[in-house]
């Protein structure tokens, strides 16, 4: 989720030549949107049987297995160099271990629909941070307007005029913090790992491997081994890892290689729509008028922040 911009953070030299596959990129785009949109539902189901850290560890473990298999098929090697692995360790924390864990903890107390909408604020946080941290990203009227509109949408989703009535403040804050973690990680990757010469598959495989190792250390410290293994939540975790993390990343980087990161990152705007529909239709989550209206405003603001300045 929200990794489209991370592909753009690496230099074009690492993306490899653009290529076409048997399945049209528009079909793959739709599949990717569905996978990431349903990920919030899978997190919710997973946490009904397992602790949040256990859900995140399983997600990373199965996601890493998918990427490891892809690397074996393509005969890709893990990147080399202590410096590269050091930067990847930080990237793994900011782009995987931390946000995945925060979303899992958030969904203990907030609906999956709200978590999906919070995820859509990542472009807003990213633009705000890049204007400060990246000298090449200059503010424009449309981008500043997009930030203002987007955060007005966030306040609408949260129902600020009602004093945030009915929302769990801690869970909502965790979901928003998870969304903030992604652009912080993207900026870090852009500053430290761009131009390394390694393929996206190699770098992402190493990143997920490190994130899995981080959760392998943290999970036993804060959880105990489950006395039973509920089947449905377990299947949700497997699907979340194999599909929502491993396969989704392979699809996403394939789309980036074929049509470029600008088009690929548009998937961000479909995720909250699918997450909301899935949460309401399958999990029976309630939905007030302010949630979809605020989500539309958030997406409109996020789209404005991504608008390219005229030359």
């Amino acid at each position: 989720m929200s990794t489209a911009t991370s592909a753009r953070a690496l230099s074009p030299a690492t993306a490899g030549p653009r290529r076409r596959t048997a399945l049209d990129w528009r079909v793959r785009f739709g599949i990717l949107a569905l996978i990431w949109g349903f990920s919030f539902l899978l997190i919710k189901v997973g946490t009904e049987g397992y602790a949040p850290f256990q859900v995140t560890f399983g997600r990373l473990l199965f996601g890493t297995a998918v990427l490891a298999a892809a690397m074996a098929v393509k005969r890709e090697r893990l990147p080399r160099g202590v410096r590269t692995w050091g930067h990847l360790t930080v990237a793994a924390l900011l782009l995987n271990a931390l946000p995945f864990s925060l979303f899992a903890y958030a969904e203990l107390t907030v609906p999956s629909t709200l978590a999906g909408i919070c995820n859509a604020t990542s472009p807003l946080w990213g633009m705000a941070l890049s204007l400060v941290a990246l000298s090449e990203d200059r503010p424009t009227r449309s981008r500043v307007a997009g930030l203002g509109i987007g955060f007005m949408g966030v306040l609408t989703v949260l129902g600020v005029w009602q004093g945030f009535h009915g929302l769990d403040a801690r869970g909502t804050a965790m979901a928003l913090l998870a969304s903030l973690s992604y652009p912080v990680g993207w900026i870090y990757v852009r500053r430290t790992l761009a131009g390394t010469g390694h393929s996206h598959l190699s770098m992402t495989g190493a990143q997920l491997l490190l994130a899995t190792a981080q959760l392998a250390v943290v999970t036993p410290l804060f959880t105990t081994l489950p006395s039973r293994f509920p089947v449905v939540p377990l299947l949700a975790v497997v699907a979340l890892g194999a599909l929502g993390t491993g396969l989704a990343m392979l699809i996403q980087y394939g789309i980036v290689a074929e049509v470029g990161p600008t088009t690929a990152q548009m998937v961000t705007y479909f995720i909250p729509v699918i997450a909301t529909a899935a949460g309401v239709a399958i999990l029976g989550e309630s939905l007030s008028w302010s949630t979809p209206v605020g989500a539309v405003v958030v997406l409109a603001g996020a789209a404005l922040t991504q608008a390219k300045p005229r030359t």
Side-chain angles (χ1 to χ4, degrees), residues 1-307:
M1 296 171 284
S2 295
T3 60
T5 309
S6 63
R8 186 175 59 179
L10 299 177
S11 68
T14 65
R18 294 192 179 189
R19 63 188 185 279
R20 294 185 180 275
T21 62
L23 199 60
D24 186 83
W25 73 266
R26 297 170 188 83
V27 177
R28 286 178 280 135
F29 184 95
I31 294 172
L32 181 62
L34 284 172
I35 290 174
W36 273 339
F38 271 87
S39 291
F40 295 95
L41 180 150
L42 294 174
I43 292 172
K44 190 75 171 180
V45 175
T47 55
E48 291 176 356
Y50 302 96
F53 274 136
Q54 293 170 345
V55 171
T56 304
F57 174 66
R59 174 182 186 175
L60 289 168
L61 182 65
F62 289 108
T64 301
V66 171
L67 288 185
M71 290 179 64
V73 170
K74 296 187 177 182
R75 297 183 179 180
E76 292 263 3
R77 293 184 177 181
L78 291 172
R80 297 180 180 180
V82 175
R83 185 185 181 93
T84 298
W85 279 88
H87 290 316
L88 282 172
T89 300
V90 178
L93 174 65
L94 295 174
L95 292 173
N96 302 116
L98 180 60
F100 290 179
S101 298
L102 286 172
F103 272 125
Y105 269 101
E107 291 199 40
L108 289 177
T109 55
V110 302
S112 65
T113 54
L114 179 59
I117 293 171
C118 287
N119 181 74
T121 64
S122 282
L124 301 177
W125 299 118
M127 180 54 60
L129 291 172
S130 66
L131 293 178
V132 176
L134 300 174
S135 59
E136 64 267 30
D137 285 336
R138 299 298 182 184
T140 63
R141 289 182 179 179
S142 63
R143 288 179 172 180
V144 173
L147 285 175
I149 292 171
F151 285 115
M152 285 296 293
V154 173
L155 295 178
T156 303
V157 170
L158 300 181
V160 64
W161 62 90
Q162 303 176 32
F164 307 107
H165 178 70
L167 286 179
D168 181 77
R170 183 178 180 183
T172 304
M174 284 185 174
L176 290 172
L177 184 59
S179 304
L180 173 61
S181 182
Y182 288 125
V184 172
W186 298 332
I187 292 174
Y188 181 84
V189 167
R190 188 168 171 178
R191 287 192 163 209
T192 60
L193 290 170
T196 59
H198 300 290
S199 71
H200 284 324
L201 178 57
S202 174
M203 297 288 279
T204 306
Q207 181 180 304
L208 280 187
L209 178 63
L210 288 166
T212 304
Q214 291 168 359
L215 262 296
V217 173
V218 171
T219 302
L221 298 178
F222 294 93
T223 65
T224 57
L225 190 66
S227 57
R228 61 190 186 89
F229 295 87
V231 175
V232 174
L234 179 60
L235 291 176
V237 173
V238 173
L240 181 64
L243 301 178
T245 304
L247 180 61
M249 286 187 170
L250 292 177
I251 295 174
Q252 187 244 350
Y253 283 124
I255 295 174
V256 169
E258 184 171 333
V259 299
T262 301
T263 300
Q265 73 177 359
M266 293 298 292
V267 72
T268 303
Y269 308 125
F270 292 88
I271 294 173
V273 177
I274 296 170
T276 299
V280 172
I282 299 176
L283 297 180
E285 295 177 344
S286 60
L287 193 66
S288 64
W289 69 267
S290 60
T291 301
V293 171
V296 170
V297 177
V298 168
L299 295 177
L304 275 178
T305 64
Q306 302 303 307

